[in-house]
Amino acid sequence: RPRVIHVIDVDGTGLRPLPSEPGKTYGSPDWSPDGEWLAYDVSLINHDVNSTRIEVMRANGEGRREIGHGAMPSWSPDGKQIVAHTYTSEGIVVMDVDGDGRETIMEHWGSPRWSPVGNRVVAANSGGGLSIFDLTAGTEYGVLRRVRVYQGLSIAPDGLRVCFADPNGALMLATFDAEMKHAAAKRLVDGGYFSHSSWSPDGKQIAFFSDRTGEYQL
Protein backbone atom coordinates (compact mmCIF):
# COMPACT_ATOMS: atom_id res chain seq x y z
CA ARG A 1 0.00 0.00 0.00
CA PRO A 2 1.55 3.37 -0.97
CA ARG A 3 2.30 5.85 1.80
CA VAL A 4 1.64 9.58 1.44
CA ILE A 5 3.01 12.37 3.62
CA HIS A 6 0.44 14.45 5.50
CA VAL A 7 0.56 17.69 7.46
CA ILE A 8 -1.67 18.30 10.49
CA ASP A 9 -2.16 21.19 12.91
CA VAL A 10 -1.07 20.54 16.48
CA ASP A 11 -4.67 20.65 17.74
CA GLY A 12 -5.53 17.69 15.49
CA THR A 13 -7.34 19.69 12.83
CA GLY A 14 -6.38 20.51 9.26
CA LEU A 15 -5.13 17.07 8.25
CA ARG A 16 -4.15 17.23 4.59
CA PRO A 17 -2.04 15.13 2.22
CA LEU A 18 0.88 16.67 0.39
CA PRO A 19 1.20 16.16 -3.38
CA SER A 20 2.18 12.66 -4.50
CA GLU A 21 2.42 10.64 -7.70
CA PRO A 22 0.88 7.26 -8.60
CA GLY A 23 3.25 4.33 -8.35
CA LYS A 24 5.36 5.96 -5.63
CA THR A 25 5.50 5.69 -1.84
CA TYR A 26 6.75 8.41 0.51
CA GLY A 27 8.31 8.48 3.96
CA SER A 28 10.86 9.81 6.49
CA PRO A 29 9.81 13.49 6.41
CA ASP A 30 12.11 16.01 8.10
CA TRP A 31 11.12 19.65 8.57
CA SER A 32 13.68 22.36 7.75
CA PRO A 33 14.83 24.58 10.66
CA ASP A 34 13.00 27.62 9.24
CA GLY A 35 9.74 25.67 8.94
CA GLU A 36 9.41 26.41 5.22
CA TRP A 37 10.44 23.08 3.65
CA LEU A 38 10.15 19.33 4.10
CA ALA A 39 12.73 16.79 2.96
CA TYR A 40 11.58 13.17 2.55
CA ASP A 41 12.34 9.99 0.64
CA VAL A 42 10.31 8.54 -2.22
CA SER A 43 10.49 5.06 -3.76
CA LEU A 44 8.95 3.36 -6.75
CA ILE A 45 6.43 0.72 -5.65
CA ASN A 46 7.51 -2.85 -6.45
CA HIS A 47 11.11 -1.74 -7.12
CA ASP A 48 14.16 -2.41 -4.97
CA VAL A 49 15.42 0.18 -2.49
CA ASN A 50 18.01 1.46 -4.96
CA SER A 51 15.15 3.43 -6.54
CA THR A 52 14.81 5.57 -3.38
CA ARG A 53 15.43 9.28 -3.85
CA ILE A 54 15.28 12.46 -1.79
CA GLU A 55 12.82 15.21 -2.60
CA VAL A 56 12.19 18.60 -0.98
CA MET A 57 8.89 20.47 -0.96
CA ARG A 58 7.51 23.59 0.65
CA ALA A 59 5.26 22.83 3.61
CA ASN A 60 2.31 24.19 1.60
CA GLY A 61 2.91 21.56 -1.11
CA GLU A 62 4.60 23.86 -3.62
CA GLY A 63 8.10 23.86 -5.08
CA ARG A 64 8.62 20.08 -5.11
CA ARG A 65 11.93 18.94 -6.57
CA GLU A 66 14.16 15.86 -6.54
CA ILE A 67 17.73 16.32 -5.31
CA GLY A 68 19.24 12.83 -5.82
CA HIS A 69 19.53 9.27 -4.55
CA GLY A 70 19.09 8.74 -0.84
CA ALA A 71 16.82 8.03 2.12
CA MET A 72 16.21 9.25 5.71
CA PRO A 73 17.14 12.90 5.07
CA SER A 74 18.16 15.25 7.90
CA TRP A 75 18.68 19.02 7.62
CA SER A 76 21.74 20.89 8.83
CA PRO A 77 20.98 23.38 11.64
CA ASP A 78 21.43 26.31 9.24
CA GLY A 79 19.06 24.76 6.68
CA LYS A 80 21.65 24.90 3.87
CA GLN A 81 22.52 21.20 3.54
CA ILE A 82 21.00 17.74 3.93
CA VAL A 83 22.57 14.48 5.06
CA ALA A 84 21.11 11.12 3.99
CA HIS A 85 22.10 7.51 3.59
CA THR A 86 21.95 5.71 0.28
CA TYR A 87 21.27 2.10 -0.64
CA THR A 88 23.99 2.25 -3.26
CA SER A 89 27.74 2.07 -2.70
CA GLU A 90 27.88 5.78 -1.83
CA GLY A 91 27.07 5.25 1.86
CA ILE A 92 26.16 8.42 3.78
CA VAL A 93 26.20 11.65 1.79
CA VAL A 94 25.97 15.38 2.43
CA MET A 95 24.56 17.68 -0.25
CA ASP A 96 23.29 21.20 -0.72
CA VAL A 97 19.51 21.55 -0.63
CA ASP A 98 19.45 21.75 -4.43
CA GLY A 99 21.38 18.47 -4.70
CA ASP A 100 24.69 20.10 -5.67
CA GLY A 101 27.98 19.57 -3.82
CA ARG A 102 27.19 15.94 -3.09
CA GLU A 103 29.92 14.31 -0.99
CA THR A 104 30.27 10.92 0.70
CA ILE A 105 31.27 11.29 4.35
CA MET A 106 30.80 7.71 5.62
CA GLU A 107 31.03 4.54 3.59
CA HIS A 108 28.21 2.59 5.25
CA TRP A 109 24.45 2.70 5.80
CA GLY A 110 23.12 4.43 8.88
CA SER A 111 19.96 6.62 9.12
CA PRO A 112 22.12 9.71 9.74
CA ARG A 113 20.97 12.64 11.84
CA TRP A 114 22.60 16.07 11.82
CA SER A 115 23.33 17.14 15.38
CA PRO A 116 21.74 20.47 16.40
CA VAL A 117 25.09 21.47 17.97
CA GLY A 118 28.75 20.71 17.40
CA ASN A 119 28.79 20.38 13.58
CA ARG A 120 28.52 16.58 13.75
CA VAL A 121 26.53 13.85 12.03
CA VAL A 122 25.50 10.79 14.05
CA ALA A 123 24.61 7.54 12.28
CA ALA A 124 24.11 3.85 12.91
CA ASN A 125 27.05 1.65 11.95
CA SER A 126 26.30 -1.63 10.21
CA GLY A 127 29.20 -3.18 12.14
CA GLY A 128 27.70 -2.17 15.49
CA GLY A 129 27.36 0.98 17.55
CA LEU A 130 27.11 4.60 16.50
CA SER A 131 29.36 6.46 14.09
CA ILE A 132 30.14 10.13 14.64
CA PHE A 133 31.40 12.26 11.76
CA ASP A 134 33.07 15.51 12.80
CA LEU A 135 32.37 17.81 9.86
CA THR A 136 34.94 20.37 10.99
CA ALA A 137 37.79 17.88 11.27
CA GLY A 138 36.54 15.63 8.45
CA THR A 139 36.97 12.49 10.55
CA GLU A 140 34.76 9.57 11.60
CA TYR A 141 34.94 7.57 14.82
CA GLY A 142 32.79 4.95 16.53
CA VAL A 143 31.26 4.51 19.98
CA LEU A 144 29.22 1.75 21.66
CA ARG A 145 30.59 -0.92 19.30
CA ARG A 146 28.91 -3.73 21.25
CA VAL A 147 25.45 -2.18 20.96
CA ARG A 148 23.30 -3.02 17.93
CA VAL A 149 21.63 0.02 16.41
CA TYR A 150 18.63 -0.54 14.16
CA GLN A 151 16.64 2.60 13.33
CA GLY A 152 14.59 5.48 14.75
CA LEU A 153 17.72 7.47 15.54
CA SER A 154 17.18 10.99 16.88
CA ILE A 155 19.36 13.52 18.72
CA ALA A 156 18.36 15.62 21.73
CA PRO A 157 18.50 19.43 21.50
CA ASP A 158 21.65 19.43 23.67
CA GLY A 159 23.40 17.21 21.10
CA LEU A 160 24.63 14.83 23.80
CA ARG A 161 21.82 12.25 23.94
CA VAL A 162 20.77 9.91 21.14
CA CYS A 163 17.66 7.75 21.06
CA PHE A 164 17.46 4.69 18.81
CA ALA A 165 15.90 1.25 18.46
CA ASP A 166 17.89 -1.95 18.71
CA PRO A 167 16.95 -5.05 16.67
CA ASN A 168 15.95 -7.05 19.76
CA GLY A 169 12.86 -5.01 20.65
CA ALA A 170 14.08 -2.14 22.83
CA LEU A 171 14.11 1.64 22.64
CA MET A 172 17.59 2.76 23.74
CA LEU A 173 19.21 5.97 25.00
CA ALA A 174 22.90 6.79 24.55
CA THR A 175 24.33 9.60 26.72
CA PHE A 176 27.63 11.15 25.60
CA ASP A 177 30.35 13.11 27.33
CA ALA A 178 30.89 16.75 26.33
CA GLU A 179 33.34 15.83 23.55
CA MET A 180 31.11 13.02 22.23
CA LYS A 181 34.03 10.58 22.43
CA HIS A 182 32.45 8.19 24.94
CA ALA A 183 28.87 7.14 25.64
CA ALA A 184 26.81 4.97 27.97
CA ALA A 185 23.66 3.19 26.76
CA LYS A 186 20.52 2.17 28.65
CA ARG A 187 17.16 0.68 27.74
CA LEU A 188 14.18 3.04 27.91
CA VAL A 189 11.34 0.72 26.82
CA ASP A 190 11.22 -3.03 26.09
CA GLY A 191 8.88 -5.37 24.33
CA GLY A 192 8.13 -4.22 20.82
CA TYR A 193 9.15 -2.89 17.47
CA PHE A 194 10.32 0.73 17.70
CA SER A 195 11.19 3.40 15.16
CA HIS A 196 11.04 7.08 14.29
CA SER A 197 11.79 8.77 17.60
CA SER A 198 11.74 12.56 18.04
CA TRP A 199 12.72 14.80 20.98
CA SER A 200 10.69 17.62 22.49
CA PRO A 201 12.39 21.04 22.15
CA ASP A 202 13.22 21.13 25.89
CA GLY A 203 14.84 17.68 25.72
CA LYS A 204 12.60 16.25 28.44
CA GLN A 205 10.39 13.92 26.39
CA ILE A 206 10.62 11.59 23.39
CA ALA A 207 7.87 10.70 20.95
CA PHE A 208 8.25 7.34 19.21
CA PHE A 209 6.47 4.83 16.99
CA SER A 210 5.86 1.35 18.42
CA ASP A 211 3.75 -1.80 18.27
CA ARG A 212 4.32 -2.78 21.93
CA THR A 213 0.58 -2.50 22.71
CA GLY A 214 -0.31 -4.91 19.92
CA GLU A 215 -0.99 -2.26 17.29
CA TYR A 216 1.07 0.45 15.63
CA GLN A 217 0.78 3.79 17.41
CA LEU A 218 2.67 6.85 18.63
Side-chain angles (χ1 to χ4, degrees):
R1 181 179 179 181
R3 296 169 297 176
V4 176
I5 294 173
H6 290 70
V7 173
I8 190 171
D9 298 331
V10 294
D11 63 0
T13 63
L15 178 66
R16 58 200 183 276
L18 293 178
S20 60
E21 296 181 30
K24 295 182 178 181
T25 186
Y26 300 78
S28 308
D30 191 49
W31 217 301
S32 65
D34 64 6
E36 293 293 323
W37 292 84
L38 290 167
Y40 52 91
D41 52 42
V42 54
S43 302
L44 297 172
I45 296 173
N46 298 324
H47 287 67
D48 65 32
V49 293
N50 289 331
S51 73
T52 308
R53 294 178 176 270
I54 303 293
E55 290 185 354
V56 296
M57 179 193 305
R58 290 191 180 276
N60 63 5
E62 298 177 353
R64 182 176 53 162
R65 64 177 184 267
E66 181 189 305
I67 62 172
H69 285 285
M72 296 291 294
S74 175
W75 294 82
S76 62
D78 63 7
K80 295 181 178 180
Q81 293 180 295
I82 288 172
V83 65
H85 74 235
T86 69
Y87 295 109
T88 64
S89 59
E90 285 182 281
I92 293 172
V93 298
V94 169
M95 68 190 92
D96 298 336
V97 295
D98 59 4
D100 290 342
R102 189 179 180 97
E103 179 183 356
T104 298
I105 60 170
M106 291 186 267
E107 296 181 350
H108 55 78
W109 174 90
S111 299
R113 301 287 93 185
W114 208 305
S115 177
V117 297
N119 204 26
R120 300 181 179 99
V121 170
V122 180
N125 190 305
S126 53
L130 295 168
S131 287
I132 316 296
F133 191 88
D134 186 322
L135 290 147
T136 302
T139 56
E140 177 185 357
Y141 58 93
V143 296
L144 300 174
R145 292 294 193 187
R146 296 183 179 180
V147 176
R148 297 285 305 281
V149 180
Y150 182 44
Q151 60 182 14
L153 196 153
S154 63
I155 306 175
D158 62 13
L160 298 178
R161 292 168 294 160
V162 177
C163 182
F164 59 90
D166 79 0
N168 298 315
L171 189 69
M172 305 288 292
L173 176 69
T175 302
F176 288 80
D177 62 6
E179 299 300 319
M180 290 196 77
K181 296 294 186 180
H182 302 90
K186 70 176 183 179
R187 304 168 82 88
L188 292 178
V189 189
D190 283 306
Y193 166 85
F194 300 92
S195 68
H196 306 297
S197 61
S198 181
W199 291 78
S200 62
D202 62 6
K204 294 181 179 180
Q205 293 182 299
I206 300 169
F208 60 90
F209 177 81
S210 169
D211 70 348
R212 66 189 301 266
T213 63
E215 59 182 353
Y216 292 122
Q217 61 180 218
L218 294 173

